[in-house]
């Protein structure tokens, strides 16, 4: 048995992806900071017959994140699918001229150190399986930097470069790496940006395994 790990698992996209992959028979590891909220989500998924467990960790603490993913692999089966999608902190989004080097520490820990720590932890297992999928989820500033959201714009660009490098390096090993860019907000009921629709898009990226960057919607909207 193998599992999907959702790093940054909350009631929106995280829960929708848990339901989508859970429906396919994957055990689901939910990683976020708040153990109480993870418990609620785990129970909701159990009600749908999905084997899910919560693992509390802050993605800005690479050792804690790696330990959480290691435990998930031991308890639920090798992590075959890793999704990195924690929702960024509001204070990462400051105007560029008001952003100091110190202000970039959080965004870089969140969007660079975290993804690298997570990938380094799960990659040996995927290589042993001979298959795997790594999915990064970002907002539109990953593609078009926004002058009032300097931290996420800069750090998402770095995360995108890391993902792209991984995509090219791992494709020959049966490990697919993709990025879903969601322009604007996730909107319940939206034709393309409802959490369930986005989860379907992420499932299709995992299933179809082509190309690195995918867009959930037109960039202008
Ligand atoms: N929401 C939007 O409108 C929107 C728009 C464009 C792109 N996105 C992308 O969509 C993904 C999020 O989807 P969502 O907004 O529906 O969120 P969600 O899946 O409902 O929840 C994300 C979870 O991330 C966790 N998180 C935040 N900081 C964390 C940290 N430092 N360490 C560990 N976990 C952390 C939070 O849980 P804890 O507080 O318990 O840690 C939160 O519940 C992200 O990749 C985001 O970039 C969202």
């Amino acid at each position: 048995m193998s599992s999907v790990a959702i790093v940054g698992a909350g009631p929106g996209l995280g829960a929708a992806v848990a339901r989508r992959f859970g429906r396919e028979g994957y055990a689901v590891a939910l990683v976020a900071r708040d153990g109480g909220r993870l418990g609620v989500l785990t129970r909701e998924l159990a009600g749908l017959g999905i084997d899910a467990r919560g693992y509390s960790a802050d993605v800005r603490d690479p050792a804690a994140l790696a330990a959480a993913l290691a435990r998930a692999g031991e308890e639920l089966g090798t992590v075959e699918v890793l999704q990195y999608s924690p929702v960024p902190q509001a204070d990462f989004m400051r105007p560029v001229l008001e952003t100091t080097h110190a202000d970039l520490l959080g965004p870089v820990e969140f969007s660079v150190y975290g993804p690298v720590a997570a990938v380094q932890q799960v990659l040996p297992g995927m290589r042993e399986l001979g298959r795997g999928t790594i999915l990064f989820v970002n907002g539109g500033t990953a593609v078009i930097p926004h002058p009032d959201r300097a931290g996420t714009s800069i750090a998402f660009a770095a995360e995108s470069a890391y993902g792209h490098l991984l995509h090219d390096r791992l494709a020959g090993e049966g490990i697919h790496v993709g990025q879903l860019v969601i322009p604007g907000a996730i909107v319940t009921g939206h034709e393309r940006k409802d959490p369930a629709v986005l989860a379907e898009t992420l499932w299709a990226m995992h299933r179809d395994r082509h190309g690195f960057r995918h867009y959930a919607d037109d960039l202008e909207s």
Side-chain angles (χ1 to χ4, degrees), residues 25-45:
Y26 283 92
V28 183
L30 305 162
V31 181
R33 292 165 299 183
D34 188 317
R37 281 203 293 259
L38 287 175
V40 172
L41 194 48
T42 303
R43 284 190 289 281
E44 280 173 16
L45 292 165

Side-chain angles (χ1 to χ4, degrees), residues 155-178:
F156 279 178
E159 182 181 354
S160 301
Y162 177 60
H164 207 146
L165 292 170
L166 285 177
H167 171 271
D168 294 351
R169 177 63 183 78
L170 293 171
E173 297 187 35
I175 298 170
H176 177 65
V177 182

Side-chain angles (χ1 to χ4, degrees), residues 8-14 32-34 37 57-59 85-88 110 137-139 156 182 184-186:
L13 183 63
R33 292 165 299 183
D34 188 317
R37 281 203 293 259
D58 186 334
V59 300
S85 57
V87 69
F110 190 90
V137 181
N138 295 104
F156 279 178
I182 307 172
I186 295 175

Side-chain angles (χ1 to χ4, degrees), residues 32-102:
R33 292 165 299 183
D34 188 317
R37 281 203 293 259
L38 287 175
V40 172
L41 194 48
T42 303
R43 284 190 289 281
E44 280 173 16
L45 292 165
L48 299 172
I50 296 168
D51 180 13
R53 291 193 200 181
Y55 299 89
S56 300
D58 186 334
V59 300
R60 293 179 61 184
D61 179 344
L65 177 55
L69 289 168
R71 278 206 319 282
E74 283 160 20
E75 294 175 5
L76 294 175
T78 304
V79 175
E80 181 193 335
V81 181
L82 172 72
Q83 173 170 300
Y84 193 88
S85 57
V87 69
Q89 290 169 219
D91 66 359
F92 292 172
M93 296 171 225
R94 298 161 64 87
V96 62
L97 295 183
E98 292 169 25
T99 299
T100 67
H101 73 278

Side-chain angles (χ1 to χ4, degrees), residues 84 133-143 155-164 167 176-182 201-202 205 210-216:
Y84 193 88
T133 302
I134 299 170
L135 299 167
F136 297 97
V137 181
N138 295 104
T141 55
V143 183
F156 279 178
E159 182 181 354
S160 301
Y162 177 60
H164 207 146
H167 171 271
H176 177 65
V177 182
Q179 177 189 44
L180 181 63
V181 174
I182 307 172
T201 302
L202 286 154
M205 287 166 64
H210 61 75
F212 171 64
R213 179 170 280 170
H214 296 252
Y215 292 93

